[in-house]
Amino acid sequence: MSASRKDDHVRLAIEQQDTLRGINQFEEVSFVHHALAGIDRPDVSLATAFAGISWPVPLYINAMTGGSVKTGVINRDLAIAARETGVPIASGSMNAYFKDPSCAGTFSVLREQNPDGFVIGNVNANATVDNVWRAIDLIQANALQIHINTAQETAMPEGDRSFASWPGQIEKIAAAVDIPVIVKEVGNGLSRQTVLALKDLGVAVADVSGRGGTDFARIENGRRELGEYDFLHGWGQSAPACLLDAQGVDLPLLASGGVRSPLDVARALALGARGVGASGGFLRTLLDGGVDALVAQLTTWLDQLAALQTMLGARTPADLRNCDLLIHGSLRTFCADRGIETGPLARRSSSTETFRETTGSTR
């Protein structure tokens, strides 16, 4: 059952890619253009560091799959693309391995094909500490994701219906392992209150994983004969909304969910993310064009991100957090309702000081 469900997830996720054409809230974030802010391309670095983690680039392939023969092939190809581009990669949920150890190879291939890369294991919030260690050991994980997914579980015909134990189990896992623990949503977003709670639980990083990308509640509802949980389609907050909501919280944030372009990567970094993940679009590229196509896409995205940093005067991804931003439309309404001031974002280059440092201007 688990293997067929994993194959269903891939099929339904790809079907969703055909419908993700509308405006998402990344498009409601724009940079203020300063025409003399540009710097020299050789001075730009894509490296990012947070919570004891160092990545050569701020882009990562986020959790997708594993647990069946078909998804094992996908993981192999994703790992090759990650190896060839230096992009970190996260495993899909390894719960299938806990239930059926015979599918171990569909996950271990991530390390076999990417021996020196940054590989992230993925477990659910019900995982025992013993199983967490099994997952870490299987792929020699550099970090651990714990995914939280109440909307998906609610729509899933065979899903969990008991969530009260999750905070305590997350705290237990975070205290037990010796690698950074990342807690991520699966596409419904993390509110400020949730990020604060995760910080108190001892989590090292939070991936806000917002609405706008693959909708797992919709996927699970698509597995129902009657599709009666369609009211959960589109549940939650977008990644830009989550990043704005969590401003000032002392916990490193990653962003994923609805990331469609290098510009979206730059927007998320400017909103405070330390790294930005994508999955559905990369999966579509891989299945349509193979490994070479995905390597080309990742290479292009990284080149274009460096070009954006050059134009914006951001020597590092962290420097994008000093760029002036404008917030528009429904995202601005969200901020108003949540009591988030957007005006300071448009003036954070301090009018003159950052601009003077970039251009050398004395006027």
Side-chain angles (χ1 to χ4, degrees):
M1 179 63 181
S2 181
S4 64
R5 186 165 70 87
K6 294 299 183 181
D7 292 340
D8 284 345
H9 282 180
V10 171
R11 175 179 58 81
L12 292 166
I14 289 299
E15 288 178 6
Q16 279 192 29
Q17 288 297 308
D18 294 331
T19 64
L20 294 176
R21 297 289 183 267
I23 292 175
N24 68 10
Q25 286 192 318
F26 276 109
E27 296 178 21
E28 297 181 336
V29 179
S30 61
F31 287 93
V32 175
H33 177 57
H34 297 302
L36 291 176
I39 56 176
D40 296 336
R41 181 66 169 268
D43 294 333
V44 169
S45 169
L46 292 179
T48 185
F50 54 97
I53 295 169
S54 295
W55 286 350
V57 296
L59 178 68
Y60 59 101
I61 300 172
N62 213 350
M64 289 198 214
T65 196
S68 71
V69 173
K70 290 180 181 179
T71 59
V73 173
I74 291 171
N75 273 347
R76 179 201 65 195
D77 292 346
L78 291 172
I80 293 170
R83 181 190 71 209
E84 294 302 306
T85 57
V87 172
I89 184 170
S91 161
S93 172
M94 300 178 73
N95 191 52
Y97 162 59
F98 305 150
K99 294 179 178 179
D100 179 10
S102 70
C103 72
T106 70
F107 297 102
S108 61
V109 70
L110 290 167
R111 177 57 73 191
E112 292 161 6
Q113 294 295 331
N114 190 17
D116 300 317
F118 195 100
V119 178
I120 306 169
N122 182 298
V123 301
N124 64 30
N126 288 321
T128 66
V129 170
D130 285 346
N131 276 342
V132 167
W133 276 113
R134 288 176 62 202
I136 292 170
D137 291 343
L138 180 66
I139 62 173
Q140 301 170 47
N142 302 102
L144 178 74
Q145 280 184 345
I146 303 174
H147 66 263
I148 50 178
N149 59 335
T150 54
Q152 180 189 7
E153 295 288 350
T154 298
M156 188 188 306
E158 66 276 42
D160 291 335
R161 298 294 184 268
S162 299
F163 309 124
S165 64
W166 286 10
Q169 194 61 19
I170 289 170
E171 185 174 33
K172 186 182 297 184
I173 294 169
V177 303
D178 57 1
I179 57 176
V181 171
I182 304 164
V183 170
K184 71 177 293 289
E185 241 289 349
V186 301
N188 304 113
L190 298 177
S191 66
R192 180 182 184 86
Q193 289 91 327
T194 305
V195 174
L196 286 167
L198 292 173
K199 180 177 182 295
D200 290 341
L201 294 175
V203 168
V205 185
D207 180 346
V208 299
S209 191
R211 168 178 53 81
T214 304
D215 186 335
F216 277 96
R218 180 178 166 188
I219 283 176
E220 299 297 353
N221 190 50
R223 297 177 56 242
R224 288 177 172 270
E225 184 177 351
L226 299 178
E228 65 270 33
Y229 277 77
D230 57 351
F231 56 84
L232 286 179
H233 297 183
W235 185 270
Q237 298 89 253
S238 70
C242 295
L243 292 170
L244 286 161
D245 203 26
Q247 286 182 98
V249 177
D250 185 22
L251 185 71
L253 299 178
L254 301 174
S256 58
V259 176
R260 304 181 192 175
S261 70
L263 179 55
D264 288 348
V265 176
R267 287 162 165 155
L269 293 168
L271 287 169
R274 308 300 181 89
V276 182
S279 53
F282 293 158
L283 177 61
R284 184 59 183 266
T285 296
L286 177 66
L287 295 183
D288 285 351
V291 175
D292 289 346
L294 181 55
V295 169
Q297 182 181 24
L298 291 169
T299 301
T300 297
W301 275 39
L302 294 173
D303 181 68
Q304 291 177 339
L305 177 60
L308 285 167
Q309 287 183 216
T310 302
M311 183 177 69
L312 291 164
R315 288 178 170 81
T316 68
D319 288 340
L320 288 167
R321 300 199 294 271
N322 297 322
C323 292
D324 297 327
L325 295 176
L326 300 174
I327 308 300
H328 311 279
S330 62
L331 185 57
R332 189 177 182 90
T333 300
F334 170 86
C335 290
D337 289 346
R338 292 287 284 173
I340 302 164
E341 293 187 22
T342 59
L345 294 172
R347 301 184 295 274
R348 55 187 185 175
S349 64
S350 301
S351 299
T352 57
E353 293 305 317
T354 300
F355 186 72
R356 284 176 181 170
E357 290 174 7
T358 301
T359 64
S361 172
T362 58
R363 295 188 61 185

